Structure formats: C-alpha cells, structure tokens
Amino acid sequence: MIAVAAGVKVLVATKPVDFRKGADGLAALVREALGHEPFSGTIFIFRSKRADRLKILAWDGSGLVLFWKRLEHGGFRWPPVSDGVMRLTVPQLAALVDGMDWSRLHARDVVRPTATS
C-alpha cells in the first residue's frame, strides 16, 4: 500500500515509456515530454508497453522515489494510449496500484457547509 496525502496531484503518462529508464530518465521525460516539474510533489505514473507493469515517480522533499510493480496475472487498467497526461484521484491511484479497475471510482460532489448548527 502507498500512503498519499489528500490533495496531492497524481498524473498518468498515457503513452507507454521505455521501462529501462530509471528515476533520472523518467524525471527528464516528465520535464521535456510532459511539460511538468518532476520536483513539484506531483506523483507521476508510467506504464510499460505490456500493460502488466507500472512505475511511479515522486519527489518526497529529500529525493526522488521510484516505485515499480509488475502484476503476476493480468494487467493494469490503463487509459487509452495517447500523448499527454491524465489526472487521477488518490483513491483511483490506490485502486490502480492494487490492479483494480480505477475507472469505476468516482468522487462524490460534497457541498461544503456554510454554517455549523
């Protein structure tokens, strides 16, 4: 399980990447191809050509963290292959890493109270 604070931005690179890349290569890809800052605290998720592997890159304030996972059976549920990124919620990230269908999770719109009773 990965503990992620609420409000952290989670982005999925929708196009498969070369899985020989390490943390530095993925950070360069984030900056150059995706147009984002790899040291911003955003969590970046990358997929392999085979849908059974993922890498997660994040800056934790003191260094780059690289998480790698391979499913033994089946594959991860990925968005359609295209250039660019897609945003996920923290619960959707947890479902993706667990190999579940994250697209079935939808956040509820909760109206913020205006006064206490």
Side-chain angles (χ1 to χ4, degrees):
M1 181 177 147
I2 298 175
V4 178
V8 172
K9 194 188 307 184
V10 179
L11 298 177
V12 177
T14 55
K15 188 174 183 180
V17 299
D18 179 356
F19 251 48
R20 295 174 292 182
K21 289 184 185 295
D24 293 327
L26 292 173
L29 184 70
V30 166
R31 179 173 282 135
E32 296 165 10
L34 303 179
H36 290 274
E37 176 56 44
F39 308 108
S40 65
T42 299
I43 295 173
F44 298 95
I45 306 169
F46 301 93
R47 64 169 290 172
S48 63
K49 288 180 184 172
R50 297 184 344 187
D52 66 338
R53 295 180 172 115
L54 66 74
K55 284 188 178 181
I56 297 175
L57 182 72
W59 172 257
D60 72 354
S62 63
L64 280 173
V65 177
L66 182 61
F67 175 85
W68 180 89
K69 184 169 182 175
R70 177 188 69 217
L71 290 179
E72 293 301 321
H73 300 287
F76 292 103
R77 169 99 161 108
W78 293 106
V81 173
S82 64
D83 286 331
V85 295
M86 151 181 201
R87 190 163 183 175
L88 293 183
T89 64
V90 172
Q92 287 173 327
L93 168 63
L96 173 68
V97 171
D98 285 340
M100 299 183 334
D101 186 354
W102 57 268
S103 66
R104 293 178 172 256
L105 297 177
H106 300 286
R108 270 197 227 153
D109 291 330
V110 177
V111 179
R112 174 177 258 160
T114 57
T116 59
S117 46

